[in-house]
Amino acid sequence: MPDGGREGSTSADAPAEATAPAGRPSRDVVSFVRRGARLSSSRQDAWDRLAGRYVLDLPRGERDTLPEEGASLDLEATFGRRAPLVIEVGSGLGENIAAAASAQPERDHLAVEVYLPGLAQTLDRIERAGLPDNVRLLPLDAQRSLPALLPAGSVQELWVFFPDPWHKSRHHKRRLVNPPFLDAMIPLLAPGAVLRLATDWAQYAHHMRQVLDADPRLRSLHPDGPRPEGEAADPVPEDLPVKGWAPRFEGRVKTSFENKGARAGRLVWDLAYTPAP
């Protein structure tokens, strides 16, 4: 999961569910790591009071981060209306999705996250944002679940902010932004939709550009956009493109994690793409 993923990930269907039952099939490579799911008292309180209203409890499949085969998500029934849908993959502690739901009541928002403490913290943030009814939380693996649950062309914006960079070469296969992720997500984008991404690691920004620019199904919205100003504290690949960067997305809240990266001297690399005509 994005930045929350660097804080740790876990199963999010129930506080007591932490490990897979014996005899399950071997797991596919995923971008998150499942860890303990104990909640602080304040997060447990938020979960107990609000999970029933905001967390989508779909039937599970062979794994607790996958929906049951044949399951689908009726967006109109879920939100009680038809409205443009914004999805944040790896919503972490919920700063962005809670703020966006409050600021954009004309849109519906879906946070996809497997980290239970992050989901509970998101519920707390939703409450502090005034309990908007245009947001729901989905505790499933986005790449493997969303294509099964949603119809093609149903997403107006897809956000991937600060995914775990998985620095070691042997772990690069775990990076969320990879061709299989695009294969799963691009068909869900509506015509004119926007895929927004951000990372504060230059080497992952380089990886993102290699993957995204090579996909003919996507077109950069800022082909001449300059790279972020300043000197990066982390190593910057020599062949990192000078142009093609998006300006900072005004709708992205500056989270505590992003501020921590800034204090460490890392630059933020923003990207924005749309489906190619």
Side-chain angles (χ1 to χ4, degrees):
M1 58 178 268
D3 274 350
R6 284 190 262 174
E7 297 173 50
S9 299
T10 184
S11 166
D13 56 338
E17 200 73 33
T19 57
R24 250 185 202 166
S26 60
R27 295 186 179 277
D28 297 328
V29 174
V30 294
S31 62
F32 53 86
V33 174
R34 294 152 59 93
R35 295 175 182 163
R38 288 181 296 179
L39 298 178
S40 66
S41 58
S42 61
R43 286 175 172 174
Q44 185 67 60
D45 177 65
W47 181 271
D48 292 342
R49 289 185 296 103
L50 299 172
R53 175 176 174 180
Y54 287 102
V55 180
L56 300 178
D57 186 19
L58 300 180
R60 303 305 169 92
E62 62 180 13
R63 299 169 189 164
D64 55 11
T65 56
L66 296 179
E68 183 179 77
E69 185 174 355
S72 63
L73 184 58
D74 185 330
L75 293 171
E76 188 169 356
T78 297
F79 291 100
R81 64 176 185 176
R82 292 185 180 182
L85 178 65
V86 177
I87 295 181
E88 183 176 11
V89 173
S91 51
L93 300 178
E95 294 101 322
N96 279 295
I97 207 72
S102 178
Q104 297 182 320
E106 74 281 4
R107 290 184 166 193
D108 291 332
H109 299 78
L110 182 64
V112 188
E113 179 56 68
V114 296
Y115 179 51
L116 179 61
L119 289 164
Q121 185 64 48
T122 301
L123 292 172
D124 180 71
R125 293 184 189 281
I126 289 172
E127 184 170 44
R128 283 186 276 163
L131 296 172
D133 201 40
N134 61 332
V135 58
R136 296 292 185 272
L137 314 183
L138 183 66
L140 297 176
D141 177 345
Q143 180 174 316
R144 292 156 182 81
S145 300
L146 292 179
L149 295 174
L150 298 178
S154 58
V155 179
Q156 191 61 42
E157 289 204 17
L158 180 68
W159 298 348
V160 182
F161 296 147
F162 304 97
D164 193 320
W166 292 102
H167 294 294
K168 296 180 180 179
S169 296
R170 69 176 184 271
H171 292 155
H172 285 183
K173 61 187 177 182
R174 286 187 173 271
R175 287 176 168 173
L176 178 65
V177 182
N178 265 320
F181 178 73
L182 297 185
D183 290 342
M185 296 298 119
I186 290 176
L188 298 179
L189 299 178
V194 182
L195 168 61
R196 301 188 187 277
L197 309 98
T199 181
D200 59 351
W201 291 97
Q203 291 187 350
Y204 198 15
H206 182 257
H207 170 83
M208 286 182 175
R209 288 295 300 270
Q210 288 181 315
V211 173
L212 295 161
D213 292 350
D215 197 309
R217 297 170 295 179
L218 294 174
R219 175 177 60 85
S220 172
L221 287 174
H222 303 277
D224 297 319
R227 57 180 288 174
E229 296 181 355
E231 295 293 327
D234 55 319
V236 178
E238 292 184 3
D239 58 342
L240 187 66
V242 176
K243 294 185 177 182
W245 304 100
R248 189 184 193 282
F249 174 44
E250 293 182 357
R252 192 180 79 242
V253 172
K254 205 163 189 178
T255 66
S256 57
F257 199 95
E258 182 176 345
N259 286 326
K260 180 179 178 181
R263 290 194 298 270
R266 296 195 296 272
L267 301 178
V268 174
W269 308 82
D270 278 86
L271 292 166
Y273 292 79
T274 192

